[in-house]
Amino acid sequence: EVQLVESGGGLVQPGGSLRLSCVGSGFTFSNHWMTWIRQAPGKGLEWVASIKPGGSENYYVDSVKGRFTVSRDNAKNSLFVQMNSLRVEDTAVYYCARLAGSSSIFDYWGQGTLVTVSS
Amino acid sequence: DIQLTQSPSFLTASVGDRVAITCRASQGISDYLAWYQQKPGKAPKLLIHTASTLQSGVPSRFSGSGSGTEFTLTISYLQPEDFATYYCQQRHSYPITFGQGTRLEIK
């Protein structure tokens, strides 16, 4: 059974940093693109970033470029996002998701981790 | 960026009804469209990809159609567990974008 489990969320002040993690199991993690998607409270879904299986290629939404860095450790079946210079508008539940192949079809999702940016 | 506009944003229906949700793209995206269902407090679930391909395990009362700029998710014979929020998503080009969502509530 495919499982994705996020961790690392919490309360952080504006301008602060946080690192989220996602551990995958039940599939060959190193074969799949992975992604982060977020959802602000009461709002819709927003794609944040995606990373290639080998980690050499990644993509970001403009609003996080230069502040967020997505990475992975295939030996540990883990996906990360380092979030710096956090803003109030980054407050959201952050989901990691697996891509089916390289297709940007998000076929499995974690349960999400809440990041709250507030003073 | 490719904008996706869903209509309606809010829909009420009864068990047994047939409903349709439309997703319009700001430019042609071929068939690079997926539909997701999200229930309160839960992660989204993939229903349909490539405009009309039903994801494994999804009931056949869900169907998708369309190509280019206009797409439709149809749910025939609504069941109580179908009342949720539905999102379309394009994968034609980065940044990947989602529609604003359609909330389906029981009448």
Side-chain angles (χ1 to χ4, degrees):
Chain A
E1 179 193 5
V2 172
Q3 285 196 317
L4 297 166
V5 180
E6 303 95 336
S7 61
L11 175 63
V12 61
Q13 291 188 336
S17 298
L18 211 55
R19 188 191 196 213
L20 306 183
S21 302
C22 170
V23 177
S25 59
F27 66 103
T28 305
F29 186 85
S30 58
N31 285 353
H32 287 266
W33 284 73
M34 297 294 295
T35 197
W36 289 99
I37 293 162
R38 67 185 179 183
Q39 187 170 34
K43 301 297 184 183
L45 300 168
E46 181 183 37
W47 169 79
V48 174
S50 293
I51 185 167
K52 198 173 181 178
S56 60
E57 188 175 336
N58 46 49
Y59 298 89
Y60 298 91
V61 68
D62 280 351
S63 60
V64 308
K65 280 180 184 175
R67 300 189 299 122
F68 289 15
T69 302
V70 62
S71 62
R72 62 193 297 162
D73 182 344
N74 287 336
K76 296 182 178 179
N77 292 343
S78 294
L79 173 72
F80 308 101
V81 61
Q82 176 67 43
M83 304 186 295
N84 299 330
S85 303
L86 282 162
R87 305 167 179 167
V88 170
E89 56 265 34
D90 295 319
T91 295
V93 173
Y94 284 73
Y95 296 101
C96 73
R98 188 187 86 163
L99 279 68
S102 60
S103 62
S104 291
I105 297 167
F106 309 125
D107 62 352
Y108 287 93
W109 298 59
Q111 84 288 352
T113 187
L114 177 62
V115 172
T116 303
V117 185
S118 174
S119 55
Chain B
D1 298 3
I2 296 173
Q3 312 298 322
L4 297 179
T5 304
Q6 291 181 229
S7 59
S9 295
F10 186 79
L11 180 59
T12 58
S14 301
V15 172
D17 284 354
R18 176 187 176 97
V19 298
I21 299 169
T22 297
C23 178
R24 288 187 174 86
S26 59
Q27 64 188 77
I29 59 172
S30 185
D31 60 357
Y32 295 126
L33 190 99
W35 291 95
Y36 299 84
Q37 175 194 66
Q38 187 180 32
K39 296 181 179 179
K42 300 294 187 182
K45 171 188 173 184
L46 176 65
L47 298 176
I48 287 168
H49 65 85
T50 321
S52 60
T53 301
L54 199 65
Q55 176 69 355
S56 176
V58 174
S60 59
R61 62 181 180 273
F62 291 92
S63 64
S65 64
S67 183
T69 61
E70 187 156 335
F71 302 85
T72 302
L73 171 69
T74 301
I75 313 171
S76 59
Y77 206 75
L78 275 170
Q79 297 298 294
E81 60 267 30
D82 299 337
F83 293 92
T85 300
Y86 293 85
Y87 295 94
C88 58
Q89 172 243 326
Q90 68 81 20
R91 60 181 180 90
H92 178 272
S93 57
Y94 287 104
I96 295 164
T97 50
F98 290 87
Q100 82 279 12
T102 294
R103 185 173 169 183
L104 175 57
E105 289 200 347
I106 192 164
K107 190 180 289 183

